[in-house]
Every structure is written in C-alpha cells, then in structure tokens.
Amino acid sequence: MERRLASRNVSLEWVERSNQDGDSISAHLIQNTYARLKLQYAERLRQNWIEQLESPNQTLEQLSLAACLIELWRSMYGALPATEQEESSKNTLPFPGFVDLACGNGILVCILLMEGYKGLGFDACRRKSWETFPAEIQDCLEERIFIPQPFMDVLELQEIGVKIHTGEFPDKTFIISDHADELTVWTPIMAALSSPSSPLPFFVVPCCSRSLAGSSYRYPPPKEGGPVPKSENGDPAARKVYDAIEQNSQPASGDLRALRAIKIEEKTKTGFLGSMIGSLAAKTMSVAEEIGFDVEKTWLCTPGAINMALIGSRQQVTSEWLKNSYSKDSPTQSDQADTVLKNIIQVVERECFKDGGIQVAANLWVERTKILHQGQGTAHQAN
C-alpha cells in the first residue's frame, strides 16, 4: 500500500535569527506557490512516473522544494516565474542560473526549467524518468560523475567511461544540493572553489551521511549544541538510544522499540537535532563557515518530512544583486580568495585524514563513483 504523505504546509522557517521580522520569506507565499505548482504539474508527473525504486509521492516533495526555491530566488534576485514575468513591469537582472547536484529523477530540474529559470542537473546515472520529459528538458540533464578538484590534483586518471565534473560552475551560479549524500559536505567547498573571491550561493538539504571520501560516516553531534534535547514524547527508550549515539556514533545494538522510538523522534524538530542528518547538517554548516561562508539554517517543511536546509551567502548575494554591485576582482577580493583557498586546503586535508589522507580518499572516491555509475550503489548520486 502506498504511503500517504502527512498534511503539512510547505515553508522555510529560519532558525536562530536575530531579527525574526527581517528579510525572511513569507510562509504563505511559499504555500501559495506550492499549491499552484501542484495543480499545474502533479497529476501529469504522477501519470508519467516510471521509477521503480521511488514512490510517486516524490513528485510532491520535489514540487514543494521547487516552491521554496522560487520564493527564495524572488527574494534574492527579484527573479519571477514565467507566469508572472509578462505581468511585471520591473526591470531586473536576469537570473544567474542554477545547478542541481545529484539530481536523481530530475523532477526538480524539470519544474524549475518549466517555470522559466535556466539551469541544469547532473547525476552519476541517467534515469528512466528523464526520458519522460520534453527534449529541451532532457538537454539540461547530464550523466556525469563528480570528482572534486582536490582529488583530481593528486590522481592520474585514465579514461573511466563517463564524463567527469570537477565542480567548477559559471560565476554566480546557484548550487542546489538536495539529498546529494556524498556531495553534501563537498557542496560549500565546490561553491568556494568555483569562485574563491566571491563564493557561489548554495541550498543544501542533507540526507545520508558521508565522509569526504564518500564512505558512510556518522558525524558526532556538535559540541556547542549541548546535550541532545529531551524527547518530545518523553519515551525513555528514545533517550537510551540518544545516550548510545552520544557515546558511540555507531551503536552496536538496540531493541526494536528503542529504534522505532528514535526514528519517530527524528521526524520532529527536537529529535532532528540529535539525529544522523542533524549532525550532518551541523558538520556541513561548520565546514562552510570555516571556509568563509555566511550560512543560515532553516527548517524545511514539506508534505513528507521536516528537514533542515542550509543556505549559503544569501544575504551577501541579495545585497549585491539587487544593487547591481557585482564588480571585477579588487585587491581586497584577491586577498579574500587567497584566504578561502587556504581554508579549503586545511579543511580537505583534515577531513580526509580519517580515511588515510587525500591520496587514499581520492582513490576511494573514484572506486565508489565507478560503482555508482554502474547503478550498483545506494547513494544518491545513483538514486
């Protein structure tokens, strides 16, 4: 029986904002856009659904994410969806473009393109669902594997049978990293490497936790976050599992009741903070801030889940874009670029140390991406 999605309004709810009435995005705007997208696209996408390993409910998840991005881009760039462009008399700069990392079934890319936003998506494996999209949409979906530039610098790769992407994108490109698994922590790194003097903005929705080498790895909860919050439902079984997580990132055992309790708890905002995904979100944010990003946290509420989205460089890009103040590299920007590159080197060397160093991590990454390309992996690049 197909799982029914919970009834929940779609929204982005900022976390720990100093000014709660500031420039955040109105929830009703996102909800209204989601309702329009659902009415316009949902039934057709469901009828054409051919993926066997995913539920058709994925369409609603992707439509809700598209609604969030459309309203986010409206606030950042003044960019309007195609249905509103003809009615508007505003003269705004053209939208700079987006890239969807590990785009999977391609629905998000398809919807955003149909709504008038230029961009592309790539994934390690071409998906059956891509063939159901119009030809002009298919042209914007690419089968490529991502090999980070720091890994390329230490490898002597021969032909591996598939196009390679090193994470270099055009200036000002907006990076989407939705459930990109092993690309999650790499997202702020590639955003900075693409443009060290003015790092690219990004939107990250974390999922499965991976190290920089692509191996399964559970990051510990952030120390500054204090103890894991008390269970909302007061279930002592959930508390026991939290204790195990604090002491051991991979608990060896646990009764079914306890595991079920923690899974239920992780679907709440309180439980999320102590979950594997919550720890991954905290790690990604920590890496981004260490590199030099200004990162904001928001609760991403969609029909099927509550997650945390990380948005990088939103306020800076908004200020520069709306004032049309982007300029060529200045001495100050050059100094900033040097600092960013230095920070990236430190981050990559430190994070790869757990896998045996950059050289070992690079080789592990390549072997894993080959498996993903063959469709044998379970990570999101191949999903």
Side-chain angles (χ1 to χ4, degrees):
M1 181 179 295
E2 187 175 293
R3 177 177 63 90
R4 290 184 176 272
L5 292 180
S7 177
R8 181 184 292 118
N9 287 339
V10 176
S11 66
L12 289 173
E13 302 173 13
W14 260 256
V15 181
E16 299 175 357
R17 292 183 64 86
S18 58
N19 180 7
Q20 296 295 335
D21 297 322
D23 55 352
S24 57
I25 304 168
S26 172
H28 83 269
L29 287 178
I30 296 177
Q31 185 63 30
N32 289 345
T33 298
Y34 169 66
R36 176 180 66 80
L37 296 179
K38 183 179 178 182
L39 181 64
Q40 187 171 351
Y41 300 106
E43 185 58 30
R44 180 172 52 181
L45 289 170
R46 281 178 173 273
Q47 289 178 353
N48 293 334
W49 188 261
I50 59 175
E51 298 290 346
Q52 297 180 348
L53 299 180
E54 296 177 0
S55 165
N57 286 329
Q58 277 284 323
T59 59
L60 298 184
E61 290 286 333
Q62 296 300 290
L63 287 171
S64 64
L65 185 56
C68 292
L69 288 169
I70 286 172
E71 294 307 324
L72 176 64
W73 292 341
R74 185 197 299 271
S75 71
M76 290 177 63
Y77 306 105
L80 303 177
T83 54
E84 299 179 29
Q85 289 177 7
E86 295 181 358
E87 303 173 3
S88 175
S89 59
K90 293 182 179 179
N91 292 320
T92 59
L93 293 173
F95 177 68
F98 71 87
V99 60
D100 186 4
L101 310 179
C103 64
N105 56 44
I107 289 178
L108 180 59
V109 175
C110 177
I111 296 303
L112 293 174
L113 290 172
M114 297 285 283
E115 287 293 299
Y117 302 92
K118 67 177 182 179
L120 58 87
F122 71 84
D123 200 281
C125 285
R126 184 175 182 83
R127 300 291 292 274
K128 293 180 180 179
S129 55
W130 296 4
E131 300 172 3
T132 67
F133 302 144
E136 62 271 19
I137 302 296
Q138 294 187 45
D139 290 341
C140 297
L141 295 167
E142 302 179 2
E143 183 182 52
R144 289 176 179 262
I145 61 172
F146 170 67
I147 300 181
Q149 189 60 52
F151 286 172
M152 291 291 291
D153 292 340
V154 300
L155 293 170
E156 296 182 3
L157 282 181
Q158 305 297 322
E159 176 62 39
I160 59 175
V162 63
K163 292 181 179 179
I164 294 174
H165 204 300
T166 59
E168 296 180 10
F169 304 109
D171 193 25
K172 306 180 185 64
T173 298
F174 189 98
I175 298 178
I176 303 169
S177 182
D178 171 36
H179 289 60
D181 295 353
E182 56 269 87
L183 303 188
T184 301
V185 182
W186 275 108
T187 299
I189 298 175
M190 71 174 81
L193 282 174
S194 287
S195 180
S197 62
S198 182
L200 306 181
F202 61 79
F203 185 92
V204 172
V205 182
C207 185
C208 299
S209 188
R210 301 284 188 268
S211 69
L212 286 194
S215 305
S216 295
Y217 184 81
R218 178 161 189 160
Y219 295 98
K223 295 180 180 179
E224 62 272 19
V228 177
K230 183 179 179 181
S231 170
E232 285 186 355
N233 59 19
D235 192 329
R239 179 67 257 176
K240 288 181 180 179
V241 177
Y242 277 135
D243 291 341
I245 291 173
E246 290 177 0
Q247 299 170 21
N248 181 357
S249 62
Q250 297 292 344
S253 63
D255 61 74
L256 292 179
R257 180 172 177 271
L259 293 176
R260 177 174 174 78
I262 195 65
K263 289 298 181 182
I264 293 175
E265 184 70 11
E266 286 177 355
K267 294 180 180 179
T268 68
K269 291 181 180 179
T270 302
F272 175 87
L273 297 175
S275 69
M276 177 186 70
I277 302 179
S279 296
L280 174 61
K283 180 63 178 182
T284 304
M285 185 171 185
S286 173
V287 166
E289 291 178 334
E290 184 176 351
I291 291 173
F293 278 98
D294 176 25
V295 186
E296 297 171 283
K297 297 182 291 185
T298 76
W299 290 114
L300 173 63
C301 301
T302 66
I306 293 177
N307 203 334
M308 181 173 283
L310 306 178
I311 306 175
S313 293
R314 182 183 72 93
Q315 296 186 42
Q316 177 182 346
V317 169
T318 300
S319 175
E320 293 177 346
W321 191 264
L322 296 183
K323 293 179 181 178
N324 194 16
S325 61
Y326 276 105
S327 60
K328 295 182 179 180
D329 287 354
S330 64
T332 301
Q333 287 177 312
S334 297
D335 292 341
Q336 176 184 339
D338 292 340
T339 300
V340 167
L341 291 173
K342 179 181 178 181
N343 292 341
I344 289 174
I345 292 173
Q346 292 177 344
V347 167
V348 173
E349 289 181 345
R350 183 189 68 235
E351 294 301 317
C352 288
F353 180 78
K354 66 173 65 71
D355 290 295
I358 294 180
Q359 183 74 55
V360 175
N363 288 324
L364 289 172
W365 181 275
V366 171
E367 291 306 311
R368 180 172 177 78
T369 54
K370 287 180 180 179
I371 294 174
L372 290 173
H373 176 60
Q374 295 167 2
Q376 300 173 9
T378 58
H380 200 273
Q381 277 198 56
N383 280 356

